Coordinates of all heavy atoms in Angstrom, one line a residue:
M1 N -18.3 1.5 8.4 CA -17.8 2.4 7.5 C -18.9 2.6 6.4 O -19.3 1.6 5.8 CB -16.6 2.0 6.8 CG -15.4 2.8 7.0 SD -13.9 2.2 6.3 CE -13.8 0.5 6.8
D2 N -19.4 3.8 6.3 CA -20.4 4.1 5.2 C -19.7 4.1 3.9 O -18.6 4.5 3.7 CB -21.0 5.4 5.5 CG -22.0 5.4 6.6 OD1 -22.5 4.3 7.0 OD2 -22.3 6.5 7.0
I3 N -20.4 3.7 2.8 CA -20.0 3.7 1.4 C -20.4 5.0 0.8 O -21.6 5.4 0.9 CB -20.6 2.5 0.7 CG1 -20.1 1.2 1.3 CG2 -20.2 2.6 -0.8 CD1 -18.7 0.9 1.2
I4 N -19.6 5.6 0.1 CA -20.0 6.8 -0.7 C -20.2 6.3 -2.2 O -19.3 5.6 -2.7 CB -18.8 7.9 -0.8 CG1 -18.6 8.4 0.7 CG2 -19.2 9.0 -1.7 CD1 -17.6 9.4 0.8
N5 N -21.3 6.6 -2.8 CA -21.7 6.0 -4.1 C -21.5 6.9 -5.2 O -21.5 6.4 -6.3 CB -23.2 5.5 -4.0 CG -23.3 4.4 -3.0 OD1 -22.6 3.4 -2.9 ND2 -24.4 4.5 -2.2
N6 N -21.4 8.2 -5.0 CA -21.3 9.1 -6.2 C -20.6 10.3 -5.7 O -20.4 10.7 -4.5 CB -22.7 9.3 -6.8 CG -23.7 9.9 -5.7 OD1 -23.4 10.8 -5.1 ND2 -24.8 9.2 -5.5
K7 N -20.3 11.2 -6.7 CA -19.7 12.5 -6.5 C -20.4 13.4 -5.6 O -19.8 14.0 -4.7 CB -19.5 13.2 -7.9 CG -18.6 14.3 -8.0 CD -18.6 14.9 -9.4 CE -17.3 15.1 -9.9 NZ -17.3 15.8 -11.3
E8 N -21.7 13.5 -5.7 CA -22.5 14.4 -4.9 C -22.5 14.0 -3.4 O -22.3 14.8 -2.5 CB -24.0 14.4 -5.4 CG -24.1 15.1 -6.8 CD -23.8 14.2 -7.9 OE1 -23.8 12.9 -7.8 OE2 -23.3 14.7 -9.0
D9 N -22.6 12.6 -3.2 CA -22.5 12.1 -1.9 C -21.1 12.4 -1.3 O -21.0 12.7 -0.1 CB -22.8 10.6 -1.9 CG -23.2 10.0 -0.6 OD1 -23.6 10.8 0.3 OD2 -23.0 8.7 -0.5
F10 N -20.1 12.2 -2.1 CA -18.7 12.5 -1.7 C -18.6 13.9 -1.2 O -18.1 14.0 0.0 CB -17.8 12.2 -2.9 CG -16.4 12.6 -2.6 CD1 -15.6 11.7 -2.0 CD2 -15.9 13.8 -2.9 CE1 -14.2 12.0 -1.7 CE2 -14.6 14.1 -2.6 CZ -13.7 13.3 -2.0
Y11 N -19.1 14.8 -1.9 CA -18.9 16.2 -1.4 C -19.7 16.5 -0.2 O -19.4 17.4 0.7 CB -19.1 17.2 -2.5 CG -18.0 17.2 -3.5 CD1 -18.2 16.8 -4.8 CD2 -16.7 17.7 -3.2 CE1 -17.2 16.9 -5.8 CE2 -15.7 17.7 -4.0 CZ -15.9 17.2 -5.3 OH -14.9 17.3 -6.2
K12 N -20.9 15.9 -0.1 CA -21.7 16.1 1.1 C -21.1 15.6 2.4 O -21.0 16.2 3.4 CB -23.0 15.4 0.8 CG -24.1 15.8 1.8 CD -25.4 15.1 1.6 CE -25.9 15.1 0.2 NZ -27.1 14.4 -0.1
K13 N -20.4 14.4 2.3 CA -19.9 13.7 3.4 C -18.5 14.2 3.8 O -18.1 14.0 4.9 CB -19.9 12.2 3.2 CG -21.3 11.7 3.2 CD -21.3 10.2 3.1 CE -22.8 9.7 3.3 NZ -23.0 8.3 3.1
T14 N -17.8 14.8 2.9 CA -16.5 15.3 3.1 C -16.5 16.8 3.4 O -15.4 17.4 3.4 CB -15.4 15.0 2.1 OG1 -15.9 15.5 0.7 CG2 -15.3 13.4 1.9
G15 N -17.6 17.4 3.7 CA -17.7 18.8 3.9 C -17.2 19.3 5.2 O -16.9 20.5 5.4
T16 N -16.9 18.4 6.2 CA -16.2 18.6 7.4 C -15.1 17.8 7.5 O -14.4 17.5 6.5 CB -17.3 18.4 8.6 OG1 -17.7 17.0 8.5 CG2 -18.5 19.3 8.5
A17 N -14.8 17.2 8.6 CA -13.7 16.3 8.8 C -14.1 14.8 8.5 O -15.1 14.4 8.9 CB -13.1 16.3 10.2
A18 N -13.3 14.2 7.7 CA -13.6 12.8 7.3 C -12.4 12.1 6.7 O -11.5 12.8 6.2 CB -14.7 12.8 6.3
L19 N -12.4 10.8 6.7 CA -11.3 10.0 6.1 C -12.1 9.2 5.1 O -13.1 8.5 5.3 CB -10.6 9.1 7.1 CG -9.6 8.1 6.5 CD1 -8.3 9.0 6.1 CD2 -9.2 7.0 7.3
V20 N -11.5 9.2 3.8 CA -12.1 8.4 2.7 C -11.1 7.4 2.2 O -9.9 7.8 2.0 CB -12.6 9.3 1.6 CG1 -13.1 8.5 0.4 CG2 -13.5 10.4 2.1
D21 N -11.5 6.1 2.2 CA -10.7 5.1 1.7 C -11.1 4.8 0.3 O -12.3 4.4 0.0 CB -10.9 3.8 2.5 CG -10.4 2.5 2.0 OD1 -9.3 2.6 1.3 OD2 -10.9 1.5 2.1
F22 N -10.2 5.0 -0.7 CA -10.5 4.7 -2.1 C -10.0 3.3 -2.3 O -8.8 3.1 -2.2 CB -9.8 5.8 -3.0 CG -10.4 7.1 -2.9 CD1 -10.0 8.1 -1.9 CD2 -11.5 7.5 -3.7 CE1 -10.6 9.3 -1.8 CE2 -12.0 8.8 -3.6 CZ -11.6 9.7 -2.6
Y23 N -10.9 2.5 -2.8 CA -10.6 1.0 -2.9 C -11.3 0.4 -4.1 O -12.1 1.1 -4.7 CB -11.1 0.3 -1.6 CG -12.6 0.1 -1.6 CD1 -13.1 -1.2 -1.9 CD2 -13.5 1.1 -1.3 CE1 -14.5 -1.4 -1.9 CE2 -14.8 0.9 -1.4 CZ -15.3 -0.3 -1.6 OH -16.7 -0.5 -1.7
A24 N -11.0 -0.9 -4.3 CA -11.8 -1.7 -5.2 C -11.9 -3.1 -4.7 O -10.9 -3.5 -4.0 CB -11.1 -1.7 -6.6
D25 N -12.9 -3.8 -5.0 CA -13.1 -5.2 -4.5 C -12.1 -6.1 -4.9 O -11.8 -7.1 -4.3 CB -14.5 -5.7 -4.9 CG -15.6 -5.0 -4.1 OD1 -15.4 -4.4 -3.0 OD2 -16.8 -4.9 -4.7
W26 N -11.4 -5.9 -6.1 CA -10.5 -6.8 -6.7 C -9.1 -6.5 -6.1 O -8.1 -7.3 -6.4 CB -10.5 -6.7 -8.2 CG -10.4 -5.3 -8.7 CD1 -11.4 -4.5 -9.1 CD2 -9.2 -4.5 -8.8 NE1 -11.0 -3.2 -9.5 CE2 -9.6 -3.2 -9.3 CE3 -7.9 -4.7 -8.5 CZ2 -8.7 -2.2 -9.5 CZ3 -7.0 -3.7 -8.8 CH2 -7.5 -2.4 -9.3
C27 N -8.9 -5.5 -5.3 CA -7.6 -5.1 -4.9 C -7.2 -5.8 -3.6 O -7.9 -5.6 -2.5 CB -7.6 -3.6 -4.6 SG -6.2 -2.9 -3.7
G28 N -6.3 -6.6 -3.6 CA -5.8 -7.5 -2.4 C -5.4 -6.6 -1.2 O -5.8 -6.9 -0.1
E29 N -4.6 -5.5 -1.4 CA -4.3 -4.7 -0.3 C -5.5 -4.0 0.2 O -5.5 -3.7 1.5 CB -3.2 -3.7 -0.8 CG -1.9 -4.2 -1.0 CD -0.8 -3.2 -1.2 OE1 -1.1 -2.0 -1.4 OE2 0.4 -3.6 -1.3
C30 N -6.4 -3.6 -0.6 CA -7.6 -2.9 -0.1 C -8.4 -3.9 0.8 O -8.9 -3.4 1.9 CB -8.5 -2.5 -1.3 SG -7.7 -1.3 -2.5
V31 N -8.6 -5.1 0.4 CA -9.3 -6.1 1.2 C -8.5 -6.3 2.5 O -9.1 -6.4 3.6 CB -9.4 -7.4 0.4 CG1 -10.0 -8.5 1.3 CG2 -10.3 -7.1 -0.8
A32 N -7.2 -6.4 2.4 CA -6.4 -6.7 3.6 C -6.5 -5.5 4.6 O -6.4 -5.7 5.8 CB -4.9 -6.9 3.3
M33 N -6.7 -4.3 4.1 CA -6.6 -3.1 5.0 C -8.0 -2.9 5.6 O -8.1 -2.2 6.7 CB -6.2 -1.8 4.2 CG -5.9 -0.7 5.1 SD -5.0 0.6 4.2 CE -6.2 1.3 3.2
T34 N -9.1 -3.5 5.2 CA -10.4 -3.3 5.7 C -10.5 -3.5 7.2 O -11.0 -2.6 7.9 CB -11.4 -4.1 4.9 OG1 -11.4 -3.8 3.6 CG2 -12.8 -3.9 5.6
P35 N -10.0 -4.6 7.8 CA -10.1 -4.7 9.3 C -9.3 -3.7 10.0 O -9.8 -3.3 11.1 CB -9.6 -6.1 9.5 CG -9.0 -6.7 8.3 CD -9.4 -5.8 7.2
F36 N -8.2 -3.3 9.5 CA -7.4 -2.2 10.1 C -8.2 -0.9 10.1 O -8.2 -0.1 11.1 CB -6.1 -2.0 9.4 CG -5.2 -3.2 9.5 CD1 -4.6 -3.6 8.2 CD2 -5.0 -3.9 10.5 CE1 -3.8 -4.7 8.2 CE2 -4.2 -5.1 10.5 CZ -3.6 -5.4 9.4
L37 N -8.9 -0.5 9.0 CA -9.7 0.6 9.0 C -10.8 0.5 10.0 O -11.2 1.5 10.6 CB -10.3 0.8 7.6 CG -9.3 1.3 6.6 CD1 -9.8 1.1 5.1 CD2 -9.1 2.8 6.8
E38 N -11.5 -0.6 10.0 CA -12.6 -0.7 11.0 C -12.1 -0.6 12.4 O -12.8 0.1 13.2 CB -13.3 -2.1 10.8 CG -13.9 -2.3 9.5 CD -14.4 -3.7 9.1 OE1 -13.9 -4.7 9.8 OE2 -15.2 -3.8 8.2
E39 N -11.0 -1.1 12.8 CA -10.4 -0.9 14.1 C -10.1 0.5 14.4 O -10.3 1.1 15.5 CB -9.2 -1.8 14.3 CG -9.4 -3.2 14.4 CD -8.1 -4.1 14.5 OE1 -7.1 -3.5 14.9 OE2 -8.2 -5.3 14.1
A40 N -9.4 1.2 13.4 CA -9.0 2.6 13.6 C -10.2 3.6 13.7 O -10.3 4.5 14.5 CB -8.2 3.1 12.4
E41 N -11.3 3.2 12.9 CA -12.6 4.0 13.0 C -13.2 4.1 14.4 O -13.6 5.1 14.8 CB -13.6 3.5 12.0 CG -14.8 4.4 11.9 CD -15.8 3.9 10.9 OE1 -15.9 2.7 10.6 OE2 -16.6 4.7 10.4
V42 N -13.1 3.0 15.1 CA -13.7 2.9 16.4 C -12.9 3.9 17.4 O -13.5 4.4 18.3 CB -13.6 1.4 17.0 CG1 -14.0 1.4 18.5 CG2 -14.5 0.5 16.2
Q43 N -11.6 4.1 17.1 CA -10.8 4.9 18.0 C -10.7 6.3 17.5 O -10.0 7.1 18.1 CB -9.4 4.3 18.0 CG -9.4 2.9 18.6 CD -8.0 2.3 18.7 OE1 -7.0 2.9 19.1 NE2 -7.9 1.1 18.2
S44 N -11.4 6.7 16.4 CA -11.3 8.0 15.8 C -12.5 8.9 16.1 O -13.5 8.4 16.3 CB -11.2 7.8 14.3 OG -11.1 9.1 13.7
E45 N -12.3 10.1 16.1 CA -13.4 11.0 16.4 C -14.1 11.5 15.1 O -15.1 12.3 15.1 CB -12.9 12.3 17.1 CG -12.4 11.9 18.5 CD -11.8 13.1 19.3 OE1 -11.9 14.2 18.8 OE2 -11.2 12.8 20.4
I46 N -13.6 11.2 13.9 CA -14.1 11.6 12.6 C -14.7 10.3 12.0 O -14.2 9.2 12.2 CB -13.1 12.3 11.8 CG1 -11.9 11.4 11.3 CG2 -12.6 13.6 12.4 CD1 -11.1 11.9 10.2
P47 N -15.7 10.5 11.1 CA -16.2 9.4 10.3 C -15.3 8.9 9.3 O -14.5 9.7 8.7 CB -17.5 10.0 9.7 CG -17.2 11.4 9.6 CD -16.3 11.8 10.8
F48 N -15.3 7.6 8.9 CA -14.6 7.0 7.9 C -15.6 6.6 6.8 O -16.7 6.1 7.1 CB -13.9 5.8 8.3 CG -12.6 5.9 9.2 CD1 -12.4 7.1 9.9 CD2 -11.7 4.9 9.3 CE1 -11.3 7.3 10.7 CE2 -10.6 5.1 10.1 CZ -10.4 6.2 10.8
Y49 N -15.2 6.8 5.6 CA -16.0 6.3 4.5 C -15.2 5.6 3.4 O -14.0 5.7 3.4 CB -16.6 7.6 3.7 CG -17.5 8.5 4.6 CD1 -17.0 9.7 5.2 CD2 -18.8 8.1 4.9 CE1 -17.8 10.4 5.9 CE2 -19.5 8.9 5.7 CZ -19.1 10.1 6.3 OH -19.9 10.9 7.0
R50 N -15.9 4.9 2.5 CA -15.2 4.1 1.5 C -15.8 4.6 0.2 O -17.0 4.8 0.1 CB -15.4 2.6 1.7 CG -14.9 2.1 3.0 CD -14.9 0.6 3.1 NE -13.6 0.2 2.5 CZ -13.3 -1.0 2.1 NH1 -14.2 -1.9 2.1 NH2 -12.1 -1.3 1.6
F51 N -15.0 4.7 -0.9 CA -15.3 5.0 -2.2 C -14.8 4.0 -3.2 O -13.6 3.8 -3.3 CB -14.9 6.4 -2.6 CG -15.4 6.9 -3.9 CD1 -16.6 7.7 -3.9 CD2 -14.9 6.6 -5.1 CE1 -17.1 8.2 -5.0 CE2 -15.5 7.0 -6.3 CZ -16.6 7.8 -6.2
D52 N -15.7 3.2 -3.8 CA -15.3 2.2 -4.8 C -14.8 2.9 -6.0 O -15.6 3.5 -6.7 CB -16.5 1.3 -5.1 CG -16.2 0.1 -5.9 OD1 -15.1 0.1 -6.6 OD2 -17.0 -0.9 -6.1
C53 N -13.6 2.8 -6.3 CA -13.0 3.4 -7.5 C -13.7 3.0 -8.8 O -13.6 3.7 -9.8 CB -11.5 3.2 -7.5 SG -10.7 4.1 -6.1
D54 N -14.1 1.8 -8.8 CA -14.8 1.3 -10.1 C -16.1 1.9 -10.3 O -16.6 1.9 -11.4 CB -14.9 -0.3 -10.0 CG -13.6 -1.0 -10.2 OD1 -12.6 -0.3 -10.8 OD2 -13.5 -2.0 -9.6
S55 N -16.7 2.6 -9.3 CA -18.1 3.2 -9.5 C -18.0 4.5 -10.3 O -19.0 4.9 -10.8 CB -18.7 3.4 -8.1 OG -18.0 4.5 -7.4
D56 N -16.9 5.2 -10.2 CA -16.8 6.4 -11.0 C -15.3 6.7 -11.3 O -14.6 7.5 -10.6 CB -17.4 7.6 -10.2 CG -17.6 8.9 -11.0 OD1 -16.8 9.0 -12.1 OD2 -18.4 9.7 -10.7
R57 N -14.8 6.0 -12.2 CA -13.3 6.2 -12.6 C -12.9 7.6 -13.0 O -11.8 8.0 -12.7 CB -12.9 5.1 -13.6 CG -13.0 3.7 -13.1 CD -12.6 2.7 -14.2 NE -12.8 1.4 -13.7 CZ -12.2 0.4 -14.2 NH1 -11.3 0.5 -15.2 NH2 -12.5 -0.8 -13.7
E58 N -13.8 8.2 -13.7 CA -13.4 9.6 -14.1 C -13.3 10.5 -12.9 O -12.4 11.4 -12.8 CB -14.6 10.1 -15.0 CG -14.3 11.5 -15.6 CD -15.4 11.9 -16.5 OE1 -15.8 11.1 -17.4 OE2 -15.9 13.1 -16.4
F59 N -14.2 10.4 -11.9 CA -14.0 11.2 -10.7 C -12.8 10.9 -9.9 O -12.1 11.8 -9.4 CB -15.3 11.0 -9.8 CG -15.2 11.8 -8.5 CD1 -15.1 13.1 -8.5 CD2 -15.4 11.1 -7.3 CE1 -15.1 13.9 -7.3 CE2 -15.3 11.8 -6.1 CZ -15.1 13.2 -6.1
V60 N -12.4 9.6 -9.8 CA -11.2 9.2 -9.2 C -10.0 9.8 -9.9 O -9.1 10.3 -9.2 CB -11.1 7.7 -9.2 CG1 -9.8 7.2 -8.7 CG2 -12.2 7.1 -8.3
M61 N -9.9 9.9 -11.2 CA -8.9 10.5 -11.9 C -8.9 12.0 -11.7 O -7.8 12.6 -11.6 CB -9.0 10.3 -13.4 CG -8.9 8.7 -13.8 SD -7.3 8.0 -13.2 CE -6.1 8.8 -14.3
E62 N -10.1 12.7 -11.6 CA -10.1 14.1 -11.2 C -9.4 14.3 -9.9 O -8.8 15.4 -9.7 CB -11.6 14.5 -11.1 CG -12.3 14.8 -12.4 CD -13.7 15.2 -12.2 OE1 -14.0 15.8 -11.2 OE2 -14.6 14.7 -13.0
L63 N -9.6 13.5 -9.0 CA -8.9 13.6 -7.7 C -7.5 13.3 -7.7 O -6.8 13.5 -6.6 CB -9.7 12.7 -6.6 CG -11.1 13.1 -6.3 CD1 -11.7 12.0 -5.4 CD2 -11.2 14.5 -5.6
G64 N -6.9 12.8 -8.8 CA -5.6 12.5 -8.9 C -5.1 11.2 -8.2 O -4.0 11.0 -7.9
I65 N -6.1 10.2 -8.1 CA -5.7 9.0 -7.4 C -5.3 8.0 -8.5 O -5.9 7.8 -9.5 CB -7.0 8.4 -6.7 CG1 -7.3 9.3 -5.5 CG2 -6.7 7.0 -6.3 CD1 -8.7 9.0 -5.0
M66 N -4.0 7.6 -8.3 CA -3.3 6.9 -9.3 C -3.1 5.4 -9.0 O -2.9 4.6 -9.8 CB -1.9 7.4 -9.7 CG -1.9 8.9 -10.1 SD -2.9 9.2 -11.5 CE -1.8 8.8 -12.8
S67 N -3.3 5.1 -7.6 CA -3.1 3.7 -7.2 C -4.0 3.6 -5.9 O -4.3 4.5 -5.3 CB -1.7 3.3 -6.9 OG -1.1 4.0 -6.0
I68 N -4.3 2.3 -5.7 CA -5.1 2.0 -4.5 C -4.5 1.0 -3.7 O -3.7 0.2 -4.2 CB -6.6 1.7 -4.9 CG1 -6.6 0.5 -5.9 CG2 -7.3 2.9 -5.4 CD1 -8.0 0.0 -6.2
P69 N -4.8 0.8 -2.4 CA -5.6 1.8 -1.6 C -5.1 3.2 -1.4 O -3.8 3.3 -1.3 CB -5.8 1.1 -0.3 CG -4.6 0.3 -0.1 CD -4.2 -0.1 -1.4
T70 N -5.9 4.1 -1.4 CA -5.5 5.5 -1.1 C -6.4 6.1 0.0 O -7.6 5.9 -0.1 CB -5.5 6.5 -2.3 OG1 -4.5 6.0 -3.2 CG2 -5.3 7.9 -2.0
L71 N -5.8 6.6 1.1 CA -6.7 7.3 2.1 C -6.4 8.8 1.9 O -5.3 9.3 1.8 CB -6.1 6.9 3.4 CG -6.1 5.4 3.9 CD1 -5.5 5.2 5.2 CD2 -7.6 4.9 3.8
I72 N -7.5 9.6 2.0 CA -7.5 11.0 1.9 C -8.2 11.5 3.2 O -9.3 11.1 3.4 CB -8.1 11.5 0.7 CG1 -7.3 11.0 -0.6 CG2 -8.0 13.1 0.7 CD1 -7.8 11.6 -1.9
L73 N -7.5 12.3 3.9 CA -8.0 13.0 5.1 C -8.6 14.4 4.7 O -7.8 15.1 4.1 CB -7.0 13.1 6.1 CG -7.4 13.7 7.5 CD1 -8.4 12.9 8.2 CD2 -6.2 13.9 8.4
F74 N -9.8 14.7 5.0 CA -10.5 15.9 4.7 C -10.7 16.7 6.0 O -11.1 16.1 7.0 CB -11.8 15.7 3.9 CG -11.6 15.2 2.6 CD1 -11.5 13.9 2.3 CD2 -11.4 16.0 1.5 CE1 -11.4 13.3 1.0 CE2 -11.3 15.6 0.2 CZ -11.2 14.2 0.0
E75 N -10.5 18.0 5.9 CA -10.9 18.9 7.0 C -11.5 20.1 6.3 O -10.9 20.7 5.5 CB -9.6 19.3 7.7 CG -9.8 20.0 9.0 CD -8.5 20.3 9.8 OE1 -8.1 19.2 10.4 OE2 -7.9 21.3 9.7
N76 N -12.7 20.4 6.8 CA -13.5 21.6 6.3 C -13.7 21.5 4.8 O -13.5 22.5 4.0 CB -12.8 22.9 6.7 CG -12.8 23.2 8.1 OD1 -13.7 22.8 8.9 ND2 -11.6 23.6 8.7
G77 N -13.8 20.3 4.3 CA -14.2 20.0 2.9 C -12.9 20.1 2.0 O -13.0 19.9 0.8
K78 N -11.8 20.3 2.6 CA -10.5 20.3 1.7 C -9.5 19.1 2.1 O -9.5 18.7 3.2 CB -9.8 21.6 1.9 CG -10.6 22.8 1.5 CD -9.8 24.0 1.5 CE -10.6 25.3 1.1 NZ -11.2 25.5 -0.1
E79 N -8.8 18.7 1.1 CA -7.9 17.7 1.3 C -6.8 18.2 2.3 O -6.1 19.1 2.0 CB -7.3 17.2 0.1 CG -6.3 16.0 0.3 CD -5.8 15.4 -1.1 OE1 -6.4 15.5 -2.0 OE2 -4.6 14.9 -1.0
K80 N -6.6 17.5 3.4 CA -5.5 17.8 4.3 C -4.3 16.9 4.2 O -3.2 17.4 4.3 CB -6.1 17.7 5.8 CG -5.0 18.1 6.8 CD -5.7 17.9 8.2 CE -4.6 18.1 9.2 NZ -5.1 18.0 10.6
A81 N -4.5 15.6 3.8 CA -3.4 14.7 3.7 C -3.8 13.5 2.9 O -5.0 13.2 2.8 CB -2.9 14.2 5.1
R82 N -2.8 12.8 2.4 CA -3.1 11.6 1.5 C -2.0 10.6 1.8 O -0.8 10.9 2.0 CB -3.0 12.1 0.0 CG -3.2 11.0 -1.0 CD -3.1 11.5 -2.4 NE -4.2 12.5 -2.7 CZ -4.9 12.6 -3.8 NH1 -4.5 11.8 -4.9 NH2 -5.7 13.5 -4.0
K83 N -2.4 9.3 1.8 CA -1.6 8.2 2.1 C -2.0 7.1 1.1 O -3.1 6.7 1.0 CB -1.7 7.7 3.5 CG -0.8 6.6 3.9 CD -1.0 6.3 5.4 CE 0.0 5.2 5.9 NZ 1.4 5.4 5.5
T84 N -1.0 6.6 0.4 CA -1.2 5.5 -0.5 C -0.6 4.2 -0.1 O 0.6 4.2 0.5 CB -0.7 5.9 -1.9 OG1 -1.4 7.1 -2.3 CG2 -1.0 4.8 -3.0
G85 N -1.2 3.1 -0.3 CA -0.7 1.8 0.1 C -1.3 1.3 1.4 O -2.0 1.9 2.1
L86 N -0.9 0.0 1.6 CA -1.5 -0.7 2.8 C -1.0 -0.1 4.1 O 0.2 0.3 4.2 CB -0.9 -2.2 2.8 CG -1.4 -3.1 3.8 CD1 -2.9 -3.3 3.9 CD2 -0.8 -4.5 3.6
A87 N -1.9 0.1 5.0 CA -1.5 0.7 6.3 C -2.2 -0.1 7.4 O -3.4 -0.6 7.2 CB -2.0 2.1 6.4
D88 N -1.6 -0.4 8.5 CA -2.2 -1.1 9.7 C -2.9 -0.1 10.6 O -2.9 1.1 10.3 CB -1.2 -1.9 10.4 CG -0.2 -1.1 11.2 OD1 -0.4 0.1 11.5 OD2 1.0 -1.6 11.5
T89 N -3.6 -0.6 11.6 CA -4.4 0.2 12.5 C -3.7 1.4 13.1 O -4.1 2.5 13.0 CB -5.0 -0.7 13.6 OG1 -5.7 -1.8 13.0 CG2 -5.9 0.1 14.5
N90 N -2.5 1.2 13.6 CA -1.7 2.2 14.2 C -1.3 3.3 13.2 O -1.3 4.5 13.5 CB -0.5 1.7 14.9 CG -0.9 0.9 16.2 OD1 -1.8 1.1 16.8 ND2 0.0 -0.1 16.5
E91 N -0.9 2.9 12.0 CA -0.6 3.9 11.0 C -1.8 4.7 10.6 O -1.7 5.9 10.4 CB 0.0 3.2 9.7 CG 1.3 2.5 9.9 CD 1.8 1.7 8.8 OE1 0.9 0.8 8.3 OE2 2.9 1.9 8.3
I92 N -3.0 4.1 10.5 CA -4.1 4.8 10.2 C -4.5 5.8 11.3 O -4.8 7.1 11.0 CB -5.3 3.8 9.9 CG1 -5.0 3.0 8.6 CG2 -6.6 4.6 9.7 CD1 -5.9 1.8 8.5
I93 N -4.5 5.4 12.5 CA -4.7 6.3 13.7 C -3.8 7.5 13.7 O -4.2 8.6 13.9 CB -4.7 5.5 15.0 CG1 -5.8 4.5 15.1 CG2 -4.7 6.5 16.1 CD1 -5.7 3.5 16.2
E94 N -2.5 7.2 13.4 CA -1.5 8.3 13.4 C -1.8 9.2 12.2 O -1.6 10.5 12.3 CB -0.1 7.8 13.3 CG 0.4 7.2 14.6 CD 0.4 8.2 15.7 OE1 0.9 9.4 15.5 OE2 -0.1 7.9 16.8
F95 N -2.2 8.7 11.1 CA -2.5 9.5 9.9 C -3.7 10.5 10.2 O -3.6 11.6 9.8 CB -2.7 8.6 8.7 CG -3.1 9.3 7.5 CD1 -2.2 10.0 6.7 CD2 -4.5 9.2 7.0 CE1 -2.5 10.6 5.6 CE2 -4.8 9.8 5.8 CZ -3.8 10.6 5.1
V96 N -4.6 10.0 10.9 CA -5.8 10.8 11.1 C -5.6 11.9 12.1 O -6.2 13.0 12.1 CB -7.0 9.9 11.6 CG1 -8.2 10.6 12.1 CG2 -7.4 9.0 10.5
K97 N -4.6 11.7 13.1 CA -4.2 12.7 14.1 C -3.7 13.9 13.3 O -3.4 14.8 13.2 CB -3.2 12.2 15.0 CG -3.9 11.2 16.0 CD -2.9 10.8 17.1 CE -3.5 9.8 18.0 NZ -2.6 9.3 19.0

């Protein structure tokens, strides 16, 4: 999973279909979900990215993210769906479909 480091990179990588995991290193559920995301990415046709919420809190607030982990599915550069909280591999795969 590639890391998105800033707002410009975010918009560049989510211009088509993509899943973005908004996380923080100190978040236990975020850490627990990482292997599930890695497994789901192998089975997915779209790229998965991670955005560290501590790297740009203002941008995270602009996106309306109030808790983490939050997964946002993008299609053609627009948010298609959002899921908050811990999810296992099967839940992530279903969410991306």
